[in-house]
Amino acid sequence: MHHEQSTGTHPMMHSEAMPEIWEILTEEQKKKVALMKMDMNIQWMETKINEMEKMIALKKKAIENIRAVQEMIKQGK
């Protein structure tokens, strides 16, 4: 069996997504599109960071709860 491997790291370029439109854009418009793409990437990364921060907070709370249960067990309560 042959399986194709994909790293998932190849970003889709605007020229690949909309080749017919990309070709008619001026250089200035291409720069604006590139900046828009960068803004979207930044927003995506910020969203991922926020999700990670929420998971970290949840895990810290879980650690606190586990320690509280440990202490109860140690004290026989």
Side-chain angles (χ1 to χ4, degrees):
M1 244 193 204
H2 175 70
H3 293 283
E4 289 185 26
Q5 291 183 337
S6 173
T7 60
T9 57
H10 177 70
M12 181 180 285
M13 300 301 292
H14 286 283
S15 59
E16 294 172 357
M18 306 177 288
E20 65 282 349
I21 295 171
W22 186 255
E23 294 302 317
I24 63 172
L25 296 178
T26 65
E27 288 304 311
E28 189 62 30
Q29 289 169 328
K30 287 178 182 178
K31 287 179 186 177
K32 287 181 182 179
V33 170
L35 290 171
M36 288 166 47
K37 182 174 173 64
M38 289 178 197
D39 283 339
M40 290 301 296
N41 285 339
I42 290 168
Q43 288 177 22
W44 179 82
M45 286 188 269
E46 288 173 340
T47 298
K48 288 295 177 188
I49 288 170
N50 289 337
E51 290 171 3
M52 289 177 198
E53 288 172 340
K54 287 177 184 177
M55 286 304 299
I56 288 168
L58 181 64
K59 289 176 180 181
K60 285 181 177 181
K61 182 64 178 169
I63 290 169
E64 287 176 28
N65 291 341
I66 292 168
R67 286 189 174 139
V69 171
Q70 270 183 328
E71 200 55 40
M72 284 187 266
I73 293 170
K74 286 179 186 176
Q75 294 177 6
K77 296 183 179 180

